[in-house]
Amino acid sequence: MAASLVRSTLGCQFARFLRPSLITAAGQTQSQRGVKRYMRAYLKELYNRRLRVGPEKLRHRSEFMNWNYNAEIYAFGKRLGEEFSNDSLQAAFTHRSYIEAEEARRADLGIDVASAPLGLTDNSELTQKGEETASRYIKAYLRSSYPTMFEEAIVAIHDHLMSDDTLSHIASHIGIGDLMLCSDFPPEESTLSKNFLAVVGALETDKGVKRAESLVRDLVLAQLVGKELMELWSVTNPMGLLMAVLDSQGRGPPEPRLQWQAGQRTIMAVYQVGIYSDKQLIGQSAGERVTIAEDMAAQDALQRMMGIGSGHMPLTFRTEADKMELRYDPKNISAEELMQTYELRQKENSVS
Amino acid sequence: MSNRAIPNAFVKNVLQNGLGRYICQLQRVTLNFCKATPSSLGTRDFIEKYLVDFTRENPGTVVYVKPIRNRAPFLVAEYLNGRQERVSTKDMPADEVCKWLEHLRTRSGAQIVNLRKEWLTNTPSIQGVWHPFLNKNPSLAGTSFPAPELYGAKTESKSATDMVLEEAGVKKVGSVDSASSKE
């Protein structure tokens, strides 16, 4: 019983010491005199000592023997299917913190920094360039894909895509983590996301805006697939916005109607509410209470108007996306403005 | 049959790979081998004959060749998700090493576990998921129950029996008409 417990904890490789017949590595059986009774205690002690020492220290990939920085940089460019110039890619991966740390180290060692400069350019310029390109393209792509979407929603989706969370996740999964030259290890999310934008900037410098935009589309905009876009934009008053939108379009006001209800006196109560404008159904949803259902139905109506939600066209990628004609400057309709205009009109009507 | 203790996962595609462009997930591969021992013979042959072609075809993967004296040969594949896979190439001929390298090249780096579903989709339902109110007649919402007129089986068209009885001039016994006429 105890032997089997030790065997299970120490792994089957040690089990051969605990059996009277010794099984060699080749799988053949050799007979031996008795069982070495000290072996179990010895192996158990070794195991516990290893646990006490603690886990293996986290090391940067470059500390291992099989590492060639130039080869890794070259492979990074090829992996993305792009032709980078070595200089711009090297600059993209060099962070300000690394240069400062290196200069401090050299100063400590007594090397005069002015006479023997490092000759490294940091990636701040490329990061800024990449951020501008990515930001501009994401907004233009979203405006083009969803022409009826409110500007606030587009900004919300853009902010989500350009957040440190998203960009660092993308960066770590294309191999930027190992290539970064920075003072922090393990790499911070902000460093990873800045580095990704620097790579976009480097591609723009080498191959132009179109290729950089293509990279942003394939890596960043692709993360929207399968995501609920309405969750990214929080609407505080969906019914109010819906009223303003319908009024601006000259359509009838939204009328919520209870369509179905079941299990009212139970905890699993469900109410389905539909919103009608000029007796046409524009949105419907179910909810635990009537107020929740009405709120959700208003959101459903807004979703349908913006062209998002299930049943609507997916985003375009690849050659189709290259052919897209994007409007960079003109913004979409603003929800805030609509609400303000509606409120003004209501005041005028009430006064008159 | 379904055991929570056995590791399992749904199929996943990190970063929506392939939607825009395909990025080979094999980041780097290290070939460890001995220059002398016979168990590394196949690996040495592979390095001589096929390795350079492999590197030309896969410029996005860094290949390291690491001779280690008196040890059995093995491949170590490192993936973009940070995982490593080891394959022992001891006593393998060169073409088998080739096959294993091809297997490692085409993997995503995710751990091999039981797949709960063979597919991954963002649109599992095309026409919309069914719910109890979907195909109900809206007039039911405004109906007050009990409503005996709704309790019979719906007969939208005449059955063969009805036609025969009509021909014979006999009223069908047990029909809704006969019940209401009795009342």
Side-chain angles (χ1 to χ4, degrees), chain A residues 61 65-68 71-72 74-75 78-80 82 169-170 172-175 178 214-215 218-219 222-223 225-226 259-260 262 270 272 317-318, chain B residues 14-16 18-28 30 59-62 64 66 78 80-81 84 122 126 131 133 136-141:
Chain A
R61 182 64 181 78
M65 221 164 73
N66 46 357
W67 177 259
N68 183 331
E72 296 279 345
Y74 175 80
K78 290 293 179 186
R79 185 179 307 139
L80 296 177
E82 304 286 358
H169 173 75
I170 296 167
S172 55
H173 281 92
I174 54 174
D178 294 335
S214 162
L215 187 75
D218 290 342
L219 288 174
Q223 307 312 310
V225 172
Q259 291 174 330
W260 299 99
V270 63
Q272 185 165 300
F317 292 97
R318 301 201 176 191
Chain B
V14 183
L15 283 197
Q16 310 286 356
L19 200 75
R21 65 186 66 190
Y22 172 70
I23 297 173
C24 180
Q25 296 294 302
L26 184 62
Q27 200 177 4
R28 56 186 82 87
T30 311
T61 306
V62 190
Y64 294 99
K66 193 164 151 187
E78 287 168 70
L80 288 172
N81 64 359
Q84 283 189 7
N122 287 309
I126 303 295
H131 56 83
F133 304 129
K136 272 197 157 80
N137 192 331
S139 61
L140 276 176

Side-chain angles (χ1 to χ4, degrees), chain A residues 106-210:
Chain A
R106 288 192 178 198
D108 281 343
L109 288 170
I111 303 166
D112 186 17
V113 180
S115 61
L118 272 172
L120 296 170
T121 42
D122 68 21
N123 62 4
S124 46
E125 214 182 282
L126 288 172
T127 308
Q128 203 187 4
K129 202 173 188 180
E131 192 173 349
E132 279 167 13
T133 309
S135 186
R136 215 171 58 118
Y137 180 67
I138 288 171
K139 285 190 179 150
Y141 181 90
L142 289 172
R143 284 178 192 138
S144 181
S145 305
Y146 305 116
T148 48
M149 195 186 263
F150 299 109
E151 187 62 26
E152 284 85 352
I154 287 186
V155 167
I157 298 170
H158 160 273
D159 289 344
H160 168 260
L161 286 174
M162 295 284 284
S163 66
D164 271 350
D165 263 344
T166 316
L167 291 182
S168 67
H169 173 75
I170 296 167
S172 55
H173 281 92
I174 54 174
I176 284 180
D178 294 335
L179 297 169
M180 281 201 305
L181 295 174
C182 55
S183 60
D184 47 279
F185 181 77
E188 282 164 27
E189 284 189 353
S190 55
T191 326
L192 281 165
S193 55
K194 280 196 192 113
N195 202 318
F196 176 77
L197 293 169
V199 167
V200 172
L203 186 59
E204 195 192 329
T205 319
D206 292 337
K207 288 285 168 181
V209 179
K210 275 280 171 210

Side-chain angles (χ1 to χ4, degrees), chain A residues 10 19-20 31 39-40 45 88 103 134 167 175 208 235 256-257 259 270-272 277 286 293 297 301 347:
Chain A
L10 297 176
R19 290 197 208 106
S31 55
M39 199 46 104
R40 177 178 165 248
E45 176 58 25
S88 50
E103 282 174 357
L167 291 182
V235 201
R257 296 282 182 271
Q259 291 174 330
V270 63
Y271 300 89
Q272 185 165 300
S277 161
K347 276 190 193 145

